[in-house]
Amino acid sequence: MAERKRNWDKEDDLPVYLARPGTTDQVPRQKYGGMFCNVEGAYESKTIDFDALSVGQRSSRAAKAADKKEGSKEGTSPDSERCSPGTEGRSGERQPRDSGIEIKTTGGKEILQNLDDLNSDRLLIKGGRIVNDDQSFYADIYMEDGLIKQLGDNLIVPGGVKTIEANGKMVIPGGIDIHTHFQMPYRGTTTVDDFSQGSKAALAGGTTMIVDHVIPDPGSSLIEAFEQWKQWADEKACCDYSLHVDITHWNDSVKQEVETLLKEKGVNSFQVYMAYKDLYQMSNSELYEVFSFLGEMGGVVQVHAENGEIIAEEQARMLQMGITGPEGHVLSRPEELEAEAVFRAITIASQTSCPLYVTKVMSKSAADIISQARKKGNVVFGEPISASLGTDGTHYWSKNWAKAASFVTSPPLSPDPTTPDYLNTLLASGDLTVTGSAHCTFSVAQKAIGKDDFTQIPEGINGVEERMALIWDKAVVTGKMDENTFVAVTSTNAAKILNLYPRKGRIAVGSDSDLVIWDADAVRTITAKTHNSAAEYNVFEGMEFRGGPLVVICQGKIVLEDGNLHVTSGTGRFIPCSPFPDFAYKRIKARKQLAVLRPVPRGMYDGPVSEFSPMSRGGTPSASARTSPTKQTPPVRNLHHSGFSLAGAPTTEETPIRPAGRRIVVPPGGRSNITSLS
Amino acid sequence: MEDGVIKQLGENLIVPGGVKIIEASGRMVIPGGIDVNTCLQKPYLGTQTVDDFFQGTKAALAGGTTMIIDHVSPQPGASLLQAFEKWHEAADKKSCCDYSFHVDIPHWHEGVKKELEILVQEKGVNSFQVYMAYKDLYQMTDTQLYEAFTFLKELGAVVLVHAENGDLIAQEQSKILGMGITGPEGHVLSRPEELESEAVFRAVTLGNRINCPIYITKVMSKSAADIVAQSRKKGSVVYGEPITASLATDGTHYWSKNWAKAAAFVMSPPLSPDPTTPDHLNTLLACGDLQTVGSSHCGYSTSQKAIGKDNFTLIPEGTNGVEERMSFVWDKAVAVGKMDENQFVAVTSTNAAKIFNLYPRKGRIAVGSDADIVIWDPDKMKTITAKTQQSAVEYNIFEGMECRGGPLVVISQGKIAFEGANLSMQQGAGHFIPRKPFPDYVYQRIKMRNKAMAMHGVSRGMYDGPVYDIPITQKYITPSPSAKTSPTKNQPPPIRNLHQSNFSLSGPQADDNVPRRSGHRIVAPPGGRSNITSLG
């Protein structure tokens, strides 16, 4: 542990000429106009930071030195000096505290000034290394009103600010879990994690925004369901949230509702199902219609990709073979069916020029299809989930029914134990774009609905709390992924797809102050005893994850510090998403302009046309009528042929008996040339 | 050769007197070609292909093909058996070379199963085609395909798949017609090759699930061929059949200014507009990723094609190719050095004989095999033109192409059918060749896998924990919005709820992290049930 810490220190001790861009020379974008700064840019680059230039110096010290100078220069606010971490800084210079951070509130006068200081939304993070998806740099962050107001080295902040001394730890944008099912109704029961419990778990894991799926019942109104979910979430959610709406059936009124949701309600992503036969599943034609409609309206289509028809057959076969336990779940949903459906979805999406988002990428083969399609230029995003990145499907064969059942989700976890590693690699290389958790927890008693029939087991696993730490552990610690990509896949890309970027998913002036101070070295063992979800089983039980949040700031408030959660149910806001996210649609728009199909201008065909029975395309063959005018023998021969047909197919719905095809219809002349149509 | 069978093979044979001797003078003698895909009597909207069994087999013999396997296409709703008999009779009367039949399955229900059984066991048909395209006509759903594959596998038949996604094609067609594109280019625009590869992928997936061999007819595009090749590498039992047209020409002609020419190329799946396609397919054929070559010869006259002059969806689909098949494979693959002559024999004849259980009677020159032999001239140059062809169609899609290699002498059933430029054949001389199910080439692996793939349940003790009580009658009931039925403790009754929301302002509760499983309505499972293992 200590050794690791030292390594980390070394990394930060890089001489300035090796440091990342932005550590010293860059002047980050800064918003001025704070209480004590009336001249814009007045202090810009006027403070020479000698410490930052000296080789081999701790950059945290540089930041502190700068702070001190700034404090004295400001002068107007003596309290800021007090709150700057002079005392702690000196001792912490050589031996940082265990946690490595320190949170200070102002004392004395400020408490009097801000009586509700506990909820004060003025917050300053000092000396953190800010990690965005594109770069990392050292800067201080000042937040107010739930927004990031200033970012830079020598911030001028008002007094009475709660200060967090990050001591060089990473400060990352709060995670966005793009796929959750909190409080999901299932057959008269609901998942054990409601919005309060679920978002609490999310915050505990460093996720500051969730996107939940609204699942209307087939046949019911999408908008009503949406309002219902929104109401549930408004009452209870502790963090910001947004909603996907699942399209469980398709007709014209649904179309209307989808349009309303897109244009007025702030939903820009809709999920369709290729599985769950006779329930949610859609036919290819319906998918085509949904895709082309959403492609026009600027929505993002999410698909649950599994071939439901084959699954239904396989399930029946498994049950017939006497396999009723959870292993039947994975046996009846082999990963090929997932890959097949992904392939089909991509084909449909490329036909309809609609961006595609594949939820829950669980297997190597499905991920491969996505990365191949991306190489061919399709606009497709893949979302692996915590479970597929962290564990595998061998547990379905566990002797413990309750344990095996707790892994049941669709598509199932792949029994191939190399899958998580592979998916993490693709995530790191950018072939998979975002990560969700598909957090959908049922208690063992609920899972036991399917104790005699695996098809009845409610599907869902946990993962919202473990998501960030798991990816850090599996991808960043192993050297597959850098910290910037980590931010991209846990937060930024999701924000871009939802069209919330840069409000979410980035640390920048004007963004929401959803931040996480990340401890790259914290080690935590996952167990159901200590997790924040209400589920009795954790699919990651006993796994050790390195990395975890030290401080989580949500809406400008500290919700996690020293391992303690301070959350308030109902503080989460609904964040509306607007259509046509650039991340997905820029390319689509350009392609649409290019891909205009044109007919060939050609002269009218004026040759002979053989007669045919227009009503029956492919209908009854008039058995032997040879109607071709070419090279064919005269009607006498025809009679000969018809003699044949007696023995032939019984043409039940009979076509009118025609004179065998001699009549050749010359097309009416004078018709306009076909070119005039174009 | 005697009585249509090869009797002796070797040097210095002792033969009876009065034997006709052909001096091959070192030229190649190869087994006669087998064209695995022809449609010589395909009905369309009340008309029929202009090449019937006589015309078609004549063309086949002229090209060095001594056996065809034709598609019986019953109409949806019609009896498969009756259709088979009808085709059989027509072929019997007219065919000049040996023939056999695939039967297309246009619809799926219990009655069809019976007929299939009869066809396989009594009629000598071991291959059946299913369609993934032609929506509302021949197309089958995935469920039907699953059932059909399962059933055919048990019969030991080979499943032929016409692989295109019919649902999407229907959508694309109406879109393209709506844009005012009515000419043959609409055909290829509405059937992009992605839809072909998608369907191939789906068919292979189904085949893998059921452990059933799949034979993809008419591989027309690079992407579809790649899928076949990839899945073979993953171990799937799948075969791909490119056809003459896809090996020799491409789909750029759909944009021809001449409507009749453009229409002559109309077939499904369409020829790919990518001009590098033929080359790619020949390469895959040479390396063994594709196995057989058909022609999908289905000749319609221009006036028949003109049924669709104002609407490309009505153009009857089919191209020629039975006559040119062998020569083009030679020209495009052997003459350019991609393929050796043995592989040439394999793809034009032997593989087909193996897959469809005709080997070694057909597809091989050996004692006891049928005397279907071709003396091949690798240097013969020929320019393809509709004027000199045997087929009755006015447009030859290979018009003007020069092609090296061709048959000098074709011997069918022990008789010389083609020599120099003279065809001498007899209408009705062809025999129906019955084929047995379970071809070794295809089914040996399947049988082993069946044994290896047996699945077992996990034997575990009976779950005796609590079970959540659900209203059994209402599966997927509409959730009554506020009815919170979760049994866990975090959802106190509504009144309490208000209280709690005030409460939590002050931060976390001591017991927040303790998952309470205050059981609520939990039904103990009925005791005394047999252990789950007894089921498995």
Side-chain angles (χ1 to χ4, degrees):
Chain A
M1 192 51 201
E3 204 173 300
R4 235 180 282 127
K5 190 138 283 172
R6 234 170 284 134
N7 286 341
W8 168 80
D9 282 344
K10 262 181 204 143
E11 199 180 303
D12 272 359
D13 280 346
L14 281 176
V16 70
Y17 47 80
L18 287 181
R20 288 165 199 284
T23 44
T24 51
D25 53 347
Q26 192 221 12
V27 181
R29 278 176 289 163
Q30 219 173 85
K31 194 175 175 186
Y32 292 91
M35 215 178 290
F36 303 99
C37 177
N38 37 21
V39 182
E40 192 169 305
Y43 299 100
E44 198 173 324
S45 303
K46 285 182 185 164
T47 316
I48 301 170
D49 188 352
F50 292 105
D51 282 1
L53 295 171
S54 58
V55 172
Q57 285 294 324
R58 289 181 53 84
S59 33
S60 60
R61 183 182 161 189
K64 271 166 218 156
D67 289 338
K68 258 184 274 169
K69 273 179 205 158
E70 181 203 325
S72 54
K73 202 170 204 173
E74 250 174 54
T76 46
S77 168
D79 308 297
S80 69
E81 212 166 356
R82 210 190 304 161
C83 78
S84 74
T87 47
E88 166 62 24
R90 252 162 239 129
S91 59
E93 238 170 69
R94 286 294 152 215
Q95 317 162 299
R97 287 191 333 175
D98 246 2
S99 71
I101 55 154
E102 179 196 0
I103 300 174
K104 274 199 150 193
T105 44
T106 48
K109 222 162 97 189
E110 272 54 52
I111 290 182
L112 299 175
Q113 280 174 357
N114 304 301
L115 285 174
D116 54 344
D117 197 45
L118 200 64
N119 293 327
S120 161
D121 43 14
R122 292 174 182 176
L123 203 56
L124 179 69
I125 299 180
K126 287 199 157 202
R129 191 153 62 95
I130 295 171
V131 180
N132 274 329
D133 67 315
D134 53 349
Q135 62 171 7
S136 311
F137 54 93
Y138 288 94
D140 299 345
I141 308 166
Y142 172 66
M143 291 167 272
E144 200 179 318
D145 302 331
L147 294 177
I148 296 172
K149 294 283 185 189
Q150 293 180 52
L151 196 64
D153 270 340
N154 305 315
L155 300 185
I156 294 144
V157 294
V161 172
K162 197 176 201 176
T163 307
I164 300 172
E165 182 59 54
N167 280 341
K169 296 255 183 227
M170 286 167 53
V171 181
I172 59 175
I176 300 176
D177 189 335
I178 197 163
H179 188 158
T180 64
H181 295 274
F182 295 154
Q183 213 165 333
M184 184 183 87
Y186 176 79
R187 300 172 73 175
T189 153
T190 54
T191 53
V192 292
D193 284 329
D194 60 5
F195 276 101
S196 162
Q197 194 76 30
S199 54
K200 218 164 80 180
L203 287 170
T207 296
T208 54
M209 175 174 182
I210 57 143
V211 190
D212 205 76
H213 276 271
V214 174
I215 307 182
D217 280 294
S220 64
S221 157
L222 265 58
I223 292 179
E224 275 170 33
F226 167 77
E227 298 291 355
Q228 178 63 63
W229 252 262
K230 192 156 174 277
Q231 189 195 331
W232 285 336
D234 276 340
E235 278 168 14
K236 295 194 171 177
C238 314
C239 64
D240 286 349
Y241 68 95
S242 192
L243 294 171
H244 307 295
V245 175
D246 293 6
I247 302 177
T248 47
H249 59 292
W250 185 248
N251 54 36
D252 279 340
S253 76
V254 173
K255 212 169 166 176
Q256 294 271 314
E257 291 193 312
V258 169
E259 195 172 342
T260 316
L261 286 168
L262 259 169
K263 288 184 172 159
E264 293 163 26
K265 301 287 185 180
V267 176
N268 81 347
S269 43
F270 297 85
Q271 172 156 330
V272 293
Y273 291 87
M274 299 170 83
Y276 304 107
K277 194 182 176 192
D278 300 328
L279 182 63
Y280 301 138
Q281 188 179 325
M282 286 198 188
S283 70
N284 289 338
S285 314
E286 286 172 326
L287 291 173
Y288 186 97
E289 283 171 24
V290 174
F291 281 37
S292 30
F293 180 70
L294 286 173
E296 271 166 40
M297 305 302 297
V300 175
V301 176
Q302 305 190 313
V303 288
H304 176 115
E306 278 185 296
N307 189 317
E309 302 213 359
I310 305 182
I311 288 171
E313 297 283 337
E314 292 277 312
Q315 283 180 337
R317 190 163 71 101
M318 290 300 149
L319 289 174
Q320 206 188 347
M321 287 166 71
I323 298 177
T324 57
E327 70 277 12
H329 180 74
V330 65
L331 289 174
S332 64
R333 303 177 104 105
E335 66 175 74
E336 289 172 277
L337 304 190
E338 188 191 347
E340 187 279 319
V342 170
F343 195 90
R344 186 148 44 101
I346 289 171
T347 307
I348 299 174
S350 91
Q351 282 310 303
T352 51
S353 31
C354 169
L356 180 72
Y357 178 106
V358 180
T359 60
K360 294 197 262 188
V361 176
M362 305 297 282
S363 65
K364 279 179 165 183
S365 42
D368 276 340
I369 302 265
I370 290 172
S371 69
Q372 274 171 27
R374 287 174 68 89
K375 286 185 182 68
K376 284 186 199 147
N378 291 321
V379 182
V380 52
F381 306 108
E383 168 210 276
I385 63 169
S386 317
S388 61
L389 293 168
T391 182
D392 60 55
T394 51
H395 303 279
Y396 290 117
W397 281 268
S398 164
K399 292 273 183 190
N400 178 345
W401 187 92
K403 184 181 176 195
S406 70
F407 284 82
V408 169
T409 181
S410 286
L413 288 160
S414 167
D416 177 353
T418 61
T419 304
D421 205 42
Y422 192 79
L423 293 182
N424 277 299
T425 308
L426 288 189
L427 191 62
S429 72
D431 281 346
L432 299 173
T433 315
V434 295
T435 52
S437 68
H439 189 91
C440 179
T441 45
F442 291 98
S443 66
V444 172
Q446 287 170 318
K447 290 266 183 187
I449 291 170
K451 73 187 168 61
D452 301 321
D453 176 356
F454 65 87
T455 62
Q456 306 292 316
I457 301 175
E459 295 168 351
I461 44 180
N462 65 303
V464 70
E465 187 174 352
E466 297 82 3
R467 188 178 65 103
M468 309 258 297
L470 187 151
I471 295 167
W472 185 268
D473 181 75
K474 299 276 177 190
V476 185
V477 172
T478 57
K480 289 185 175 182
M481 192 187 271
D482 58 32
E483 58 197 26
N484 302 95
T485 314
F486 173 74
V487 168
V489 298
T490 53
S491 175
T492 311
N493 289 346
K496 285 180 178 169
I497 288 173
L498 295 165
N499 219 356
L500 296 174
Y501 187 81
R503 178 176 174 190
K504 299 277 183 190
R506 185 171 181 89
I507 300 179
V509 173
S511 299
D512 279 359
S513 51
D514 289 347
L515 302 176
V516 173
I517 300 182
W518 190 259
D519 183 354
D521 297 312
V523 176
R524 193 177 150 219
T525 306
I526 304 295
T527 164
K529 288 192 195 94
T530 58
H531 71 191
N532 284 285
S533 157
E536 295 111 316
Y537 262 94
N538 191 313
V539 294
F540 309 106
E541 187 78 36
M543 294 174 88
E544 253 191 14
F545 291 144
R546 190 180 307 175
L550 272 179
V551 176
V552 178
I553 297 160
C554 182
Q555 300 178 349
K557 292 186 188 65
I558 298 175
V559 293
L560 175 90
E561 53 175 320
D562 298 334
N564 300 320
L565 271 174
H566 316 276
V567 296
T568 314
S569 282
T571 50
R573 299 163 297 177
F574 174 72
I575 311 285
C577 308
S578 50
F580 291 109
D582 276 351
F583 192 55
Y585 268 93
K586 259 187 183 165
R587 286 180 285 169
I588 297 274
K589 280 179 191 162
R591 286 178 200 186
K592 271 187 179 160
Q593 285 169 355
L594 277 182
V596 179
L597 300 178
R598 285 190 191 82
V600 174
R602 55 165 79 87
M604 193 179 60
Y605 174 81
D606 52 3
V609 178
S610 60
E611 185 183 307
F612 62 102
S613 40
M615 290 314 290
S616 56
R617 169 155 165 75
T620 331
S622 81
S624 60
R626 298 272 291 280
T627 50
S628 164
T630 54
K631 286 196 194 172
Q632 289 305 308
T633 41
V636 174
R637 178 84 184 281
N638 247 342
L639 292 172
H640 179 58
H641 278 268
S642 62
F644 268 179
S645 63
L646 288 171
T651 50
T652 40
E653 340 98 58
E654 193 38 71
T655 42
I657 294 164
R658 246 172 293 102
R662 292 303 90 191
R663 280 183 293 150
I664 289 172
V665 181
V666 178
R671 283 196 46 231
S672 63
N673 190 299
I674 202 164
T675 48
S676 63
L677 291 170
S678 61
Chain B
M1 288 170 269
E2 202 179 277
D3 303 331
V5 175
I6 298 171
K7 294 285 186 190
Q8 291 180 48
L9 199 63
E11 286 169 44
N12 307 322
L13 299 182
I14 297 156
V15 292
V19 175
K20 187 168 183 184
I21 297 175
I22 300 170
E23 190 59 58
S25 39
R27 288 220 167 76
M28 289 165 50
V29 180
I30 59 173
I34 301 175
D35 189 337
V36 281
N37 186 351
T38 63
C39 302
L40 296 181
Q41 191 178 307
K42 192 174 185 178
Y44 177 77
L45 289 185
T47 79
Q48 226 170 359
T49 53
V50 294
D51 282 332
D52 63 2
F53 278 105
F54 174 64
Q55 204 76 34
T57 51
K58 213 166 80 180
L61 286 171
T65 296
T66 55
M67 176 170 182
I68 57 158
I69 308 183
D70 201 72
H71 277 275
V72 174
S73 328
Q75 292 306 306
S79 155
L80 267 58
L81 272 175
Q82 277 167 330
F84 170 77
E85 294 297 348
K86 186 175 130 198
W87 256 259
H88 192 163
E89 196 176 327
D92 230 16
K93 285 198 178 139
K94 293 200 252 174
S95 177
C96 313
C97 67
D98 286 348
Y99 62 92
S100 191
F101 287 119
H102 308 296
V103 175
D104 296 359
I105 306 177
H107 50 107
W108 186 253
H109 53 76
E110 287 302 312
V112 174
K113 284 190 184 176
K114 268 264 179 320
E115 293 192 317
L116 291 178
E117 219 171 320
I118 295 171
L119 283 169
V120 168
Q121 276 154 14
E122 295 167 22
K123 302 290 183 184
V125 176
N126 76 355
S127 48
F128 298 90
Q129 171 149 328
V130 294
Y131 290 91
M132 299 171 83
Y134 304 106
K135 196 182 178 191
D136 300 330
L137 186 58
Y138 302 129
Q139 188 178 329
M140 288 195 196
T141 64
D142 287 355
T143 309
Q144 287 171 327
L145 290 172
Y146 187 97
E147 284 171 13
F149 285 18
T150 313
F151 186 73
L152 290 172
K153 175 197 159 193
E154 272 156 28
L155 290 178
V158 180
V159 180
L160 277 53
V161 181
H162 177 115
E164 277 184 297
N165 189 321
D167 287 337
L168 299 190
I169 289 171
Q171 296 276 358
E172 291 284 328
Q173 282 179 338
S174 58
K175 185 175 101 185
I176 283 175
L177 283 175
M179 293 165 74
I181 299 178
T182 58
E185 69 276 15
H187 180 75
V188 63
L189 290 175
S190 65
R191 302 176 104 103
E193 66 176 74
E194 284 175 291
L195 305 191
E196 188 191 347
S197 49
E198 187 279 318
V200 171
F201 195 85
R202 189 147 41 101
V204 170
T205 307
L206 273 161
N208 281 348
R209 278 329 294 158
I210 301 161
N211 191 21
C212 162
I214 301 288
Y215 180 99
I216 308 288
T217 61
K218 294 192 266 189
V219 174
M220 305 299 284
S221 65
K222 277 178 161 182
S223 45
D226 283 343
I227 302 263
V228 172
Q230 271 172 28
S231 36
R232 285 178 67 84
K233 287 189 182 68
K234 285 185 194 151
S236 309
V237 183
V238 54
Y239 303 97
E241 167 210 282
I243 65 168
T244 321
S246 61
L247 289 172
T249 183
D250 59 55
T252 51
H253 303 280
Y254 291 116
W255 280 268
S256 164
K257 294 270 185 194
N258 179 344
W259 189 91
K261 183 178 175 197
F265 285 82
V266 170
M267 67 159 319
S268 291
L271 287 159
S272 166
D274 177 354
T276 61
T277 304
D279 210 39
H280 187 77
L281 293 182
N282 276 300
T283 309
L284 290 188
L285 193 62
C287 76
D289 280 345
L290 300 173
Q291 290 74 38
T292 61
V293 182
S295 68
S296 189
H297 188 91
C298 184
Y300 289 104
S301 69
T302 300
S303 65
Q304 285 172 318
K305 291 266 184 188
I307 290 170
K309 71 186 166 57
D310 299 321
N311 181 348
F312 65 86
T313 63
L314 293 177
I315 301 175
E317 295 166 351
T319 53
N320 64 305
V322 69
E323 189 174 350
E324 300 82 1
R325 189 179 66 104
M326 307 264 292
S327 298
F328 269 119
V329 176
W330 186 270
D331 181 68
K332 300 278 178 189
V334 187
V336 298
K338 284 187 177 179
M339 192 188 272
D340 59 28
E341 56 196 31
N342 302 88
Q343 180 71 3
F344 172 73
V345 170
V347 298
T348 54
S349 176
T350 315
N351 286 348
K354 284 180 180 167
I355 291 172
F356 296 110
N357 221 358
L358 295 164
Y359 191 80
R361 180 176 173 186
K362 300 279 184 191
R364 186 176 173 82
I365 300 180
V367 173
S369 297
D370 278 1
D372 289 349
I373 284 176
V374 173
I375 300 181
W376 190 258
D377 181 356
D379 298 319
K380 185 176 172 183
M381 294 296 288
K382 193 183 171 193
T383 304
I384 308 285
T385 163
K387 286 189 196 101
T388 60
Q389 69 183 7
Q390 299 297 327
S391 158
V393 296
E394 299 107 316
Y395 259 95
N396 189 313
I397 57 169
F398 312 107
E399 188 76 37
M401 290 174 80
E402 256 197 8
C403 135
R404 181 190 293 254
L408 272 184
V409 179
V410 178
I411 298 164
S412 170
Q413 299 175 332
K415 296 189 190 70
I416 296 177
F418 177 83
E419 190 177 6
N422 306 318
L423 272 173
S424 56
M425 68 225 359
Q426 206 184 341
Q427 192 165 346
H431 295 298
F432 174 70
I433 312 284
R435 294 172 294 137
K436 289 204 180 68
F438 293 107
D440 273 352
Y441 187 63
V442 176
Y443 266 92
Q444 260 175 359
R445 284 184 286 170
I446 298 285
K447 282 177 191 162
M448 292 309 288
R449 284 179 200 189
N450 270 344
K451 286 181 200 155
M453 276 171 56
M455 284 185 240
H456 302 287
V458 173
S459 53
R460 53 167 81 86
M462 193 179 63
Y463 173 78
D464 54 0
V467 178
Y468 187 79
D469 188 18
I470 49 155
I472 286 167
T473 47
Q474 298 161 309
K475 194 175 174 184
Y476 308 116
I477 181 189
T478 320
S480 57
S482 59
K484 298 276 278 299
T485 46
S486 167
T488 51
K489 78 112 213 231
N490 289 297
Q491 287 149 16
I495 290 173
R496 177 86 188 283
N497 234 350
L498 296 169
H499 182 59
Q500 172 140 3
S501 58
N502 292 333
F503 217 57
S504 48
L505 282 170
S506 59
Q509 303 304 301
D511 58 353
D512 263 358
N513 291 335
V514 185
R516 268 188 242 161
R517 32 185 311 189
S518 39
H520 317 66
R521 283 179 292 150
I522 281 165
V523 178
R529 282 198 50 237
S530 64
N531 192 300
I532 204 163
T533 48
S534 62
L535 293 169

